[in-house]
Amino acid sequence: MQTKCERTLFCGHICGRECHGGDPCPPCDKKCSVSCVHSKCVGKCSNICSSCVEDCDWQCLHEGKCSLVCGAPCNRLPCNLRCDKLLACGHRCPSICGEDCPDVSFCIECCSTETKANIVDMLEFNSYEEQDLDNDPVIFLQCGHFYSTTTLDGIMEIDKSYEIDEEGNFVGLQVLSSSLGTSKPKSCPDCRSAINHVKRYGRLISFMRLRFLERKHMTSVEMRLRRYSLILRGEPDDAKVKRLIEILEQLESDVKDGPMRKVFEACRGREIVVTPPPSRPYLELLRLRAQCFTRLILESNDVNFNVAIDVYQQSIDYADADRSRYMSSVLRLDLCKLLMNWTALHQVKARVDHICNRVIEDDINAALVQEAIDLKEKCNDKELKEVLKAMNQVMGYNYGGGWSSHWYECPNGHPYFIGECGGAMELGRCNECGEQIGGGSHRLLASNRSSATVAEALQD
């Protein structure tokens, strides 16, 4: 029988498909687990669903009410007191203040002997009957199991959500780490079901759920971008490229309107910090839009050329602000190629050099640095070719002498040209680096050298 894959997906479900070796797991086909007191997703886990923007209902007399929406990480402090409400049987609720009271069958006075024997404290192994509910109440999970507040606080790593003083009191909010949003959902110690719908842990649960929804959203966006990129590589006609631009403009709106953005907008004006969505898909989208406009360019004064430049600059600015250094370098190199292909080099050479130098200085990886170096060299070659074209020179030009005898290099290897007979008669400065060039009385400076192969290489 074929072995089943037992990897845990980022949604918390087990893959369960036939073993697929080292290949990535396919999208989860199980029922979506995203739900709250206001709504429940009825689609598959891999389908995109939205964050809840109804007002959060977590409140108590001691710590007040969370002022944010249900889908946002809560901004109030947990309460450590036992709930003072009475169950239907008339006995006091055994849970923590702020949580929904359990069914009467969990009343410590009325419940069965079997229920009383449940171990609720995983540190001291106290049974429900032995537990001091006034000092350490129990919390009831959606799966039906229940544990002491101390036990679940440890499992949920509540100290990563709140600042706690030496006496165990909650005194402030912790900045939620992005790494928490990429970890698997916390689960029940007994049945391994994901822990949801516990208001005390709403700050962490909502944060992880929000990151999960954003990840689903971005996964869908990335799949569409890959499909559109393949279309563009397939040499589509102008009509298809224009249609693709329209699709990408709509997709850009969808990216900006992701789960995190919806929650942020719903909480506008309230005290909240929502981690921004991943920037890589958005930058890839902008890059693909710029590439579409580039495909439509017919001449340098074409409106598509200017739009492509604007989109590239917009994406570079966004990448720099987001500190996405890899995409920043990729986009800068794309911009250089566009400028070099459609603009007279003397107009953009300084800009191209500046951009390439930035990529080299950032030194993200060897391949990008080498590409920047190659572009600079290509830029220098193209500049010289434009000079040759302007001089309208060919072999046997009318200055006399051989073509190659007029080309020299400064101490740093930058080529320059001497007219007339080709002999050095005066001193000057290299336009590239400022080093001294030329000579006097037909004698070249010792630091300079002849570049006999420059002209031949440029005329290939």
Side-chain angles (χ1 to χ4, degrees), residues 245-296:
I245 290 173
E246 294 176 358
I247 293 172
L248 291 173
E249 288 174 350
Q250 179 57 51
L251 183 57
E252 183 176 352
S253 298
D254 293 343
V255 170
K256 291 180 177 179
D257 198 30
M260 286 187 173
R261 175 60 58 182
K262 286 183 178 179
V263 167
F264 182 82
E265 293 296 334
C267 293
R268 185 175 292 278
R270 314 184 200 186
E271 184 183 350
I272 179 175
V273 176
V274 174
T275 305
S279 60
R280 180 73 176 266
Y282 180 59
L283 292 171
E284 291 285 6
L285 185 151
L286 290 178
R287 185 188 186 198
L288 193 57
R289 275 191 64 205
Q291 290 171 344
C292 285
F293 284 110
T294 301
R295 291 288 289 272
L296 297 175

Side-chain angles (χ1 to χ4, degrees), residues 108-120:
I108 189 61
E109 303 293 338
C110 307
C111 67
S112 66
T113 302
E114 182 181 359
T115 300
K116 290 181 180 180
N118 276 302
I119 300 298
V120 296

Side-chain angles (χ1 to χ4, degrees), residues 281-337:
Y282 180 59
L283 292 171
E284 291 285 6
L285 185 151
L286 290 178
R287 185 188 186 198
L288 193 57
R289 275 191 64 205
Q291 290 171 344
C292 285
F293 284 110
T294 301
R295 291 288 289 272
L296 297 175
I297 297 173
L298 297 177
E299 54 187 356
S300 60
N301 60 356
D302 192 322
V303 64
N304 293 305
F305 174 78
N306 295 324
V307 174
I309 293 292
D310 290 343
V311 175
Y312 271 127
Q313 193 57 59
Q314 174 191 352
S315 60
I316 290 170
D317 292 343
Y318 189 96
D320 287 345
D322 191 65
R323 298 182 181 179
S324 300
R325 298 174 63 209
Y326 175 80
M327 284 302 298
S328 174
S329 293
V330 170
L331 292 163
R332 280 186 161 87
L333 293 175
D334 281 356
L335 177 57
C336 285
K337 296 170 191 173

